[in-house]
Each structure stands twice: as structure tokens, then as C-alpha cells.
Amino acid sequence: AVQREIRNSRQSPKQPSSPAAPRTAQQGPRARLQGRAPRPAARSRRRRGAGRAGAPAVSAPAAAQRSAGSGAMGNGTAGGPRATRPGQQLRALFYVLPPGESSFRTVEEVPDYVEKSIPFFIAFIGLEFAVSWIQKRKLSGRINDGISSLSLGILSRLPDVLFRSIDLISYICVWNNYRLFELPWDSPWTWYLTLLGVDFAYYCFHRISHEVNILWAAHQVHHSSEDYNLFTALRQSILQKYTSWVFNLPMALFIPPSVFAVHLQFNLLYQFWIHTEVITNLGPLEWILNTPSHHRVHHGRNPYCIDKNYGGTLIIWDRIFGTFEAEDEKVVYGLTHPVKSFDPIMLQLRPLAHIWNTFWATPGFCNKLSVIFKGPGWGPGKPRLGLPEEIPVITGEEVPFNPRVPGYLNSYAVVHFAVIVDLYTELLGTVTMLSQGTILLRIGFIILSLTSFGLLMENK
């Protein structure tokens, strides 16, 4: 029926009966903005689903272009991301947006929940500071560590300006070519199954990232802060995303990409609010969900905290596989051997340099491979994950790395960092209209500025 309507519209272009015509008119400017000519007939067939309820009608390039942060957000027009209300965005942070409000036929319709949650990130950070001051008469973080965490967060997102999202590109490629069967995109059962699948895949990846040295070299960036607050949640690695995508591919054999794209964001957003000390215990929820208490243990460098509580949204995987540990004595945060730097580039590269030097200093080919693929604490003659007794003992007198700098320098860093955040936001919104050279220059300026802030905070 759709094909007949398309043929009729081609034979009689002036007749308004074709359903593809108004949709093409709305999509034309957006397609031209992205350098693509409108394709009314083919796009109409994909959007209508060709009568197959379980198959999201989306092409890999189109989905990747949307996921790369092009700035076309939530306008509610056909073919673009759906608009979301503030209440929906708030509930998305806590994974309580039900299937009826977060199920979409195509990846292109999925809202960018992460980008739209930025105002809530800021609001919750301010709320955490206020509650911490009321509870303990001190703020929940420091300027130097906070700027370092935010700088690492921005740095981790810069590749999305230049390259397409590898998570969705790889997922859609497997879905288009190798899927075994199709679960219905609008079924609540598919929604809840994807919740479990995405969270279990995250558990597996997260655990391996702690137990394989080369993967830990990327993931350790997130653990490098000696504070524990909502700023820490934004401290991300620029390299980690290029290994995590593999763990999601089994779901592409039967779960539609649009459902996966929703839960990929929800799982990430949920992990934002659990990075706090102002929430102590959530009662019965502690048995099922990953909570601030459980995640504080994960970020601790106390011997009882090492390699525990890998869950993203649910803690059930840790309870099943024996990696759960409840919060006991006061947690001291950070790495067992602190990096002692606020330089975002240094924090990314120093662990890789350590692996490189250890690789060449270790005799024997098999031992060299073990340096890469066994645990961070491994050495010749040791177990795969190293010896627990070699973990430094916590005395309770540990002092975080905190060089003293003049007050005016802190003020300057805060103001200049706000300017860089504005420049970064503008870059995301205008990337489709800028030349490649301009984009590269802006990215270079942002990286130079973020590095300078880190060095200034170290009195360099």
C-alpha cells in the first residue's frame, strides 16, 4: 500500500494525498543542513516500518549522525528526536520513566536525554553543596578537583564532535546484518529485558575494566579523584568508550536499536546521582539497586573496597557473582597509588606510560603479555589480580593532593572555565555549520585551556 501511494505521488506530484509529502517538507531543511539531499520515498518507507512491527526503520549513518551531538534536539518534528518535558528529564535521571513514555520506533526519535539533563546536573550539584553545608558545615568538594573532573568530562565528549558514536554504529550494524529475530519495540517486556541486558553488559565490562590492566589504564581516570561528589560522576575517560561497545553487541541479535539507545542513556544517567555522600542509606532498596552507599565502596581505596560493587543500576549482579561488599568503615577515596595531578591529559596518559615502561622492563614474552592482560597489581610469580597484602594500608590520616594557590587564581580559573563551557556548548550546537578546520581549532583551544587550568591548580 505504501509503495502504491509513493508511485501515485510520483505520477501526480500536485495531489496532497501522499503521506510522504508533508514529512519530506519538514525534513528537507534539516537534511540540507547536514549536507544530505532529502530522500522522500525511501525515508517514507522506513518511517512507516514497511509493515514490520519489530524493526526500527533506521539507517546506521542517520542514527550515528543524531548520536554524535549535532545539536538538533527535541523539536518534535517527524524524523527528529522527540521533545521531552522537564518532569520526564528529571525522572530519566532516576530510571523511572516507564515504557509508555520512553519507547520509540526509530533511533532518530530517541531524545538525547544526556544532553538535556545538563541543567539538572548543575541544579543537583548546587543542591549537594547546600545539603553538605547544612549537614557538616563544609562544602562537598574543592575548586581544583571539581574543575579537574569537569575538564575530564568535556574532554571525554570531544571525540563525539568529530566521529560518530561507536556504540550505536556497531549495534546497528549487527542488527541490520546478523539479527536472529526481532522483539517488538513497543512491548513493555522488551523494555524491561533491555534494562536487564544493558545493566548486565555494563557489569561485565566494568568488572573486566578493573581486572585487565590495559582496560584499567583507561577506567582509572574515573577513580582518580580523592573527593566523592557529583563532580566525580562527570570525570570520564576519553578512551573507555572504544572498548565498552563490544559488550552490548549480543543484544543487537534481537533487541531493536531504538530500545537499546534509550537504556544506554538511562543506565549512564542513573549513575550520576549515586556519586554523593549526602545520601546515607536507602533501606530495602539497598538489596536491589546500586545506591550511593554501595558506590562509595566501589570508589574506596581501603583494602575491603578493592574490586567490589561493579553494578550500574542494579546491585543484584554483584550479589550473584560474589563481588558485593557493604559499606563498613569510613571510605578513603581515590587510587591506591594516587596520581597527584589535575592535568586532564596527564591523568589520561600516565597509566599508559606506566604499562609501556613495565612491559619493556619485564623479562619473557609471556610475562610481557601478562603485563597487558592481567590485573593492575600483577607481577611475575603473583596471582592474576596481584597480592591483596600489597594494597597500601589505610591509616585514616591520608591527605588529598591539594596545592595551595592564591585566591585570585582560583577565581580566574572558575571564570575562564565558565567561558570554555560556553564555547563547548556553542560548538555542539553549531558543529554541522562549521568547517572541519574551524572545528579542529576550537577543539584544540578547548584542550589547551583545560590543560592550562590543571597546571595552574598545581602551581605550575
Side-chain angles (χ1 to χ4, degrees):
V2 174
Q3 291 174 348
R4 283 198 302 272
E5 291 173 351
I6 292 172
R7 285 197 297 270
N8 292 338
S9 68
R10 288 174 175 173
Q11 295 171 359
S12 305
K14 295 183 180 180
Q15 296 179 0
S17 59
S18 171
R23 191 167 292 175
T24 303
Q26 292 177 357
Q27 292 168 353
R30 185 169 182 259
R32 286 193 297 272
L33 181 64
Q34 297 177 351
R36 300 193 298 265
R39 293 175 292 179
R43 190 175 182 86
S44 178
R45 282 197 296 271
R46 289 199 303 271
R47 297 282 296 158
R48 293 286 291 269
R52 209 163 52 170
V58 62
S59 64
Q65 181 68 27
R66 194 211 66 77
S67 67
S70 61
M73 293 299 305
N75 53 16
T77 60
R82 296 288 181 88
T84 56
R85 296 187 296 274
Q88 291 177 315
Q89 284 295 138
L90 179 62
R91 285 183 285 133
L93 278 171
F94 299 94
Y95 223 131
V96 288
L97 204 57
E101 296 181 69
S102 55
S103 296
F104 306 93
R105 179 183 293 273
T106 70
V107 173
E108 290 177 310
E109 294 176 351
V110 176
D112 194 334
Y113 291 103
V114 175
E115 288 281 335
K116 289 191 170 186
S117 294
I118 291 177
F120 290 99
F121 293 163
I122 298 172
F124 275 111
I125 288 172
L127 180 62
E128 181 188 37
F129 271 80
V131 173
S132 178
W133 180 259
I134 294 172
Q135 290 179 343
K136 306 174 183 178
R137 284 295 183 266
K138 71 173 185 177
L139 299 178
S140 57
R142 298 169 291 153
I143 291 177
N144 47 23
D145 189 82
I147 289 179
S148 178
S149 294
L150 294 174
S151 297
L152 287 163
I154 292 176
L155 197 65
S156 70
R157 301 278 293 185
L158 286 178
D160 293 340
V161 178
L162 293 173
F163 309 111
R164 294 168 174 173
S165 168
I166 191 171
D167 288 296
L168 282 177
I169 281 291
S170 57
Y171 193 96
I172 292 171
C173 179
V174 173
W175 168 264
N176 286 341
N177 297 286
Y178 304 106
R179 68 180 181 267
L180 302 177
F181 56 92
E182 305 168 3
L183 295 178
W185 64 269
D186 54 352
S187 168
W189 292 106
T190 304
W191 196 94
Y192 287 111
L193 177 63
T194 310
L195 184 158
L196 293 175
V198 168
D199 199 58
F200 180 65
Y202 178 81
Y203 171 86
C204 295
F205 163 72
H206 196 184
R207 182 170 180 174
I208 290 177
S209 294
H210 279 252
E211 297 183 358
V212 175
N213 201 16
I214 190 66
L215 299 182
W216 169 249
H219 182 63
Q220 60 83 37
V221 172
H222 182 61
H223 287 261
S224 59
S225 174
E226 296 179 89
D227 292 344
Y228 188 77
N229 50 42
L230 295 179
F231 283 125
T232 309
L234 306 177
R235 178 180 286 246
Q236 299 294 329
S237 167
I238 195 173
L239 302 173
Q240 183 172 291
K241 66 180 71 178
Y242 299 107
T243 54
S244 61
W245 58 274
V246 177
F247 295 83
N248 296 315
L249 295 186
M251 289 182 286
L253 299 176
F254 53 93
I255 292 177
S258 60
V259 186
F260 167 74
V262 168
H263 287 276
L264 187 66
Q265 295 186 78
F266 284 179
N267 192 274
L268 176 65
L269 289 174
Y270 179 91
Q271 295 178 57
F272 169 74
W273 70 272
I274 62 176
H275 288 82
T276 185
E277 291 186 296
V278 300
I279 299 175
T280 54
N281 190 284
L282 295 181
L285 295 178
E286 302 279 341
W287 286 94
I288 302 172
L289 298 177
N290 190 16
T291 63
S293 175
H294 298 330
H295 206 58
R296 284 194 289 269
V297 171
H298 179 72
H299 273 260
R301 54 174 165 160
N302 312 56
Y304 86 95
C305 298
I306 301 300
D307 295 338
K308 300 295 183 182
N309 299 358
Y310 296 113
T313 300
L314 304 173
I315 203 65
I316 58 174
W317 314 117
D318 292 283
R319 295 185 183 276
I320 292 172
F321 296 109
T323 54
F324 173 75
E325 189 69 44
E327 188 175 22
D328 186 9
E329 60 188 74
K330 179 176 174 55
V331 178
V332 177
Y333 303 107
L335 303 170
T336 55
H337 300 86
V339 179
K340 296 189 181 301
S341 176
F342 299 121
D343 179 0
I345 302 298
M346 180 64 69
L347 289 168
Q348 302 277 356
L349 298 182
R350 183 178 289 181
L352 293 173
H354 175 72
I355 292 178
W356 175 265
N357 294 332
T358 306
F359 177 88
W360 290 110
T362 303
F365 180 73
C366 291
N367 285 337
K368 290 182 183 296
L369 291 180
S370 296
V371 170
I372 298 175
F373 297 110
K374 289 188 178 181
W378 179 85
K382 298 179 183 179
R384 181 175 67 89
L385 299 180
L387 297 171
E389 54 267 27
E390 292 184 352
I391 299 173
V393 177
I394 297 300
T395 63
E397 299 179 358
E398 288 75 15
V399 178
F401 178 62
N402 191 30
R404 294 183 62 85
V405 297
Y408 71 85
L409 197 57
N410 280 328
S411 301
Y412 166 77
V414 170
V415 173
H416 193 172
F417 183 80
V419 173
I420 294 301
V421 170
D422 182 67
L423 177 64
Y424 166 71
T425 305
E426 183 192 4
L427 176 62
L428 291 181
T430 60
V431 65
T432 57
M433 296 179 286
L434 300 175
S435 68
Q436 197 75 358
T438 302
I439 293 173
L440 290 174
L441 283 173
R442 291 194 179 190
I443 289 176
F445 179 71
I446 290 173
I447 294 175
L448 174 64
S449 300
L450 298 179
T451 304
S452 299
F453 300 149
L455 296 176
L456 287 173
M457 296 295 97
E458 297 177 30
N459 265 326
K460 295 183 179 177

Short mmCIF file of all heavy atoms in Angstrom, two decimals, residues 320-345:
data_model
loop_
_atom_site.label_atom_id
_atom_site.label_comp_id
_atom_site.label_asym_id
_atom_site.label_seq_id
_atom_site.Cartn_x
_atom_site.Cartn_y
_atom_site.Cartn_z
N ILE A 320 25.06 -11.86 43.04
CA ILE A 320 25.07 -13.17 42.39
C ILE A 320 26.48 -13.68 42.18
O ILE A 320 26.78 -14.86 42.43
CB ILE A 320 24.32 -13.10 41.04
CG1 ILE A 320 22.82 -12.86 41.27
CG2 ILE A 320 24.53 -14.37 40.22
CD1 ILE A 320 22.04 -12.58 40.00
N PHE A 321 27.40 -12.81 41.72
CA PHE A 321 28.73 -13.25 41.33
C PHE A 321 29.80 -13.03 42.40
O PHE A 321 30.99 -13.16 42.13
CB PHE A 321 29.14 -12.55 40.03
CG PHE A 321 28.25 -12.91 38.86
CD1 PHE A 321 27.36 -11.98 38.34
CD2 PHE A 321 28.31 -14.17 38.30
CE1 PHE A 321 26.53 -12.31 37.28
CE2 PHE A 321 27.48 -14.51 37.24
CZ PHE A 321 26.59 -13.59 36.73
N GLY A 322 29.39 -12.65 43.61
CA GLY A 322 30.32 -12.61 44.73
C GLY A 322 31.24 -11.41 44.78
O GLY A 322 32.29 -11.46 45.42
N THR A 323 30.84 -10.30 44.17
CA THR A 323 31.68 -9.10 44.21
C THR A 323 31.04 -7.99 45.05
O THR A 323 31.45 -6.84 44.97
CB THR A 323 31.95 -8.57 42.78
OG1 THR A 323 30.70 -8.38 42.10
CG2 THR A 323 32.80 -9.55 42.00
N PHE A 324 30.04 -8.34 45.85
CA PHE A 324 29.36 -7.33 46.66
C PHE A 324 30.08 -7.13 48.00
O PHE A 324 30.58 -8.08 48.61
CB PHE A 324 27.91 -7.71 46.92
CG PHE A 324 27.22 -6.79 47.88
CD1 PHE A 324 26.82 -5.53 47.47
CD2 PHE A 324 27.00 -7.16 49.20
CE1 PHE A 324 26.19 -4.65 48.36
CE2 PHE A 324 26.38 -6.30 50.09
CZ PHE A 324 25.97 -5.05 49.66
N GLU A 325 30.12 -5.89 48.44
CA GLU A 325 30.65 -5.54 49.76
C GLU A 325 29.85 -4.36 50.30
O GLU A 325 29.71 -3.34 49.63
CB GLU A 325 32.13 -5.19 49.67
CG GLU A 325 32.80 -5.03 51.02
CD GLU A 325 32.95 -6.34 51.77
OE1 GLU A 325 33.33 -7.35 51.14
OE2 GLU A 325 32.66 -6.34 52.99
N ALA A 326 29.33 -4.51 51.50
CA ALA A 326 28.58 -3.42 52.13
C ALA A 326 29.53 -2.38 52.72
O ALA A 326 30.66 -2.70 53.09
CB ALA A 326 27.66 -3.97 53.21
N GLU A 327 29.06 -1.15 52.82
CA GLU A 327 29.87 -0.08 53.40
C GLU A 327 30.05 -0.33 54.89
O GLU A 327 29.09 -0.58 55.62
CB GLU A 327 29.17 1.26 53.16
CG GLU A 327 30.01 2.47 53.56
CD GLU A 327 29.32 3.78 53.20
OE1 GLU A 327 28.08 3.78 53.04
OE2 GLU A 327 30.03 4.80 53.08
N ASP A 328 31.31 -0.28 55.34
CA ASP A 328 31.60 -0.57 56.74
C ASP A 328 32.36 0.61 57.35
O ASP A 328 31.77 1.61 57.73
CB ASP A 328 32.40 -1.88 56.83
CG ASP A 328 32.61 -2.33 58.26
OD1 ASP A 328 32.01 -1.74 59.17
OD2 ASP A 328 33.38 -3.28 58.47
N GLU A 329 33.67 0.50 57.40
CA GLU A 329 34.47 1.59 57.96
C GLU A 329 34.51 2.76 56.98
O GLU A 329 34.15 2.62 55.80
CB GLU A 329 35.89 1.11 58.25
CG GLU A 329 36.63 0.61 57.02
CD GLU A 329 37.95 -0.05 57.36
OE1 GLU A 329 37.94 -1.17 57.88
OE2 GLU A 329 38.99 0.59 57.09
N LYS A 330 34.93 3.92 57.47
CA LYS A 330 34.96 5.12 56.64
C LYS A 330 35.79 4.89 55.38
O LYS A 330 36.90 4.37 55.43
CB LYS A 330 35.53 6.30 57.43
CG LYS A 330 35.61 7.58 56.61
CD LYS A 330 36.08 8.74 57.44
CE LYS A 330 36.31 9.98 56.59
NZ LYS A 330 35.14 10.36 55.80
N VAL A 331 35.23 5.29 54.26
CA VAL A 331 35.86 5.07 52.96
C VAL A 331 36.81 6.21 52.65
O VAL A 331 36.46 7.40 52.79
CB VAL A 331 34.80 4.93 51.85
CG1 VAL A 331 35.48 4.75 50.49
CG2 VAL A 331 33.87 3.77 52.13
N VAL A 332 38.04 5.88 52.23
CA VAL A 332 39.01 6.85 51.72
C VAL A 332 39.04 6.68 50.21
O VAL A 332 39.25 5.57 49.71
CB VAL A 332 40.41 6.62 52.32
CG1 VAL A 332 41.41 7.61 51.73
CG2 VAL A 332 40.35 6.76 53.83
N TYR A 333 38.84 7.77 49.49
CA TYR A 333 38.60 7.68 48.05
C TYR A 333 39.89 7.86 47.25
O TYR A 333 40.88 8.42 47.72
CB TYR A 333 37.58 8.75 47.63
CG TYR A 333 36.28 8.65 48.38
CD1 TYR A 333 35.95 9.57 49.37
CD2 TYR A 333 35.41 7.60 48.13
CE1 TYR A 333 34.77 9.48 50.07
CE2 TYR A 333 34.22 7.49 48.83
CZ TYR A 333 33.90 8.43 49.80
OH TYR A 333 32.73 8.31 50.51
N GLY A 334 39.83 7.38 46.00
CA GLY A 334 40.93 7.57 45.06
C GLY A 334 41.63 6.27 44.74
O GLY A 334 41.16 5.17 45.05
N LEU A 335 42.77 6.38 44.08
CA LEU A 335 43.57 5.24 43.67
C LEU A 335 44.47 4.79 44.81
O LEU A 335 44.85 5.60 45.68
CB LEU A 335 44.41 5.61 42.45
CG LEU A 335 43.63 6.11 41.23
CD1 LEU A 335 44.60 6.67 40.18
CD2 LEU A 335 42.79 5.00 40.64
N THR A 336 44.84 3.50 44.80
CA THR A 336 45.76 3.00 45.84
C THR A 336 47.11 3.71 45.76
O THR A 336 47.79 3.88 46.77
CB THR A 336 45.95 1.49 45.69
OG1 THR A 336 46.40 1.19 44.36
CG2 THR A 336 44.66 0.74 45.96
N HIS A 337 47.50 4.12 44.55
CA HIS A 337 48.70 4.93 44.35
C HIS A 337 48.28 6.21 43.62
O HIS A 337 48.24 6.25 42.38
CB HIS A 337 49.75 4.17 43.55
CG HIS A 337 50.20 2.90 44.21
ND1 HIS A 337 49.53 1.70 44.05
CD2 HIS A 337 51.22 2.65 45.07
CE1 HIS A 337 50.14 0.77 44.76
NE2 HIS A 337 51.17 1.31 45.39
N PRO A 338 47.90 7.25 44.35
CA PRO A 338 47.33 8.46 43.74
C PRO A 338 48.24 9.07 42.68
O PRO A 338 49.48 9.08 42.81
CB PRO A 338 47.17 9.42 44.94
CG PRO A 338 47.07 8.51 46.12
CD PRO A 338 47.96 7.36 45.82
N VAL A 339 47.61 9.61 41.62
CA VAL A 339 48.36 10.23 40.52
C VAL A 339 48.88 11.59 40.92
O VAL A 339 49.92 12.04 40.45
CB VAL A 339 47.46 10.33 39.27
CG1 VAL A 339 48.21 10.99 38.12
CG2 VAL A 339 46.97 8.95 38.85
N LYS A 340 48.17 12.29 41.79
CA LYS A 340 48.56 13.63 42.27
C LYS A 340 48.75 14.61 41.12
O LYS A 340 49.83 15.16 40.89
CB LYS A 340 49.83 13.55 43.13
CG LYS A 340 49.67 12.74 44.41
CD LYS A 340 50.87 12.86 45.32
CE LYS A 340 50.70 12.03 46.58
NZ LYS A 340 49.52 12.43 47.36
N SER A 341 47.68 14.81 40.39
CA SER A 341 47.70 15.77 39.29
C SER A 341 46.27 16.18 38.97
O SER A 341 45.33 15.41 39.18
CB SER A 341 48.36 15.16 38.05
OG SER A 341 48.31 16.07 36.96
N PHE A 342 46.12 17.42 38.49
CA PHE A 342 44.84 17.91 37.99
C PHE A 342 44.87 18.12 36.48
O PHE A 342 43.90 18.60 35.90
CB PHE A 342 44.47 19.23 38.68
CG PHE A 342 44.32 19.11 40.17
CD1 PHE A 342 45.10 19.87 41.03
CD2 PHE A 342 43.41 18.23 40.71
CE1 PHE A 342 44.96 19.76 42.40
CE2 PHE A 342 43.26 18.10 42.09
CZ PHE A 342 44.03 18.87 42.94
N ASP A 343 45.96 17.75 35.84
CA ASP A 343 46.12 17.91 34.40
C ASP A 343 45.33 16.81 33.69
O ASP A 343 45.65 15.62 33.84
CB ASP A 343 47.60 17.82 34.04
CG ASP A 343 47.85 17.95 32.54
OD1 ASP A 343 46.87 18.10 31.78
OD2 ASP A 343 49.03 17.89 32.14
N PRO A 344 44.28 17.14 32.93
CA PRO A 344 43.45 16.09 32.32
C PRO A 344 44.21 15.22 31.32
O PRO A 344 43.90 14.03 31.20
CB PRO A 344 42.33 16.89 31.63
CG PRO A 344 42.88 18.26 31.44
CD PRO A 344 43.80 18.49 32.60
N ILE A 345 45.19 15.77 30.62
CA ILE A 345 45.97 14.97 29.68
C ILE A 345 46.88 14.01 30.45
O ILE A 345 47.00 12.82 30.10
CB ILE A 345 46.79 15.87 28.75
CG1 ILE A 345 45.87 16.83 27.99
CG2 ILE A 345 47.61 15.02 27.77
CD1 ILE A 345 44.86 16.15 27.10
#
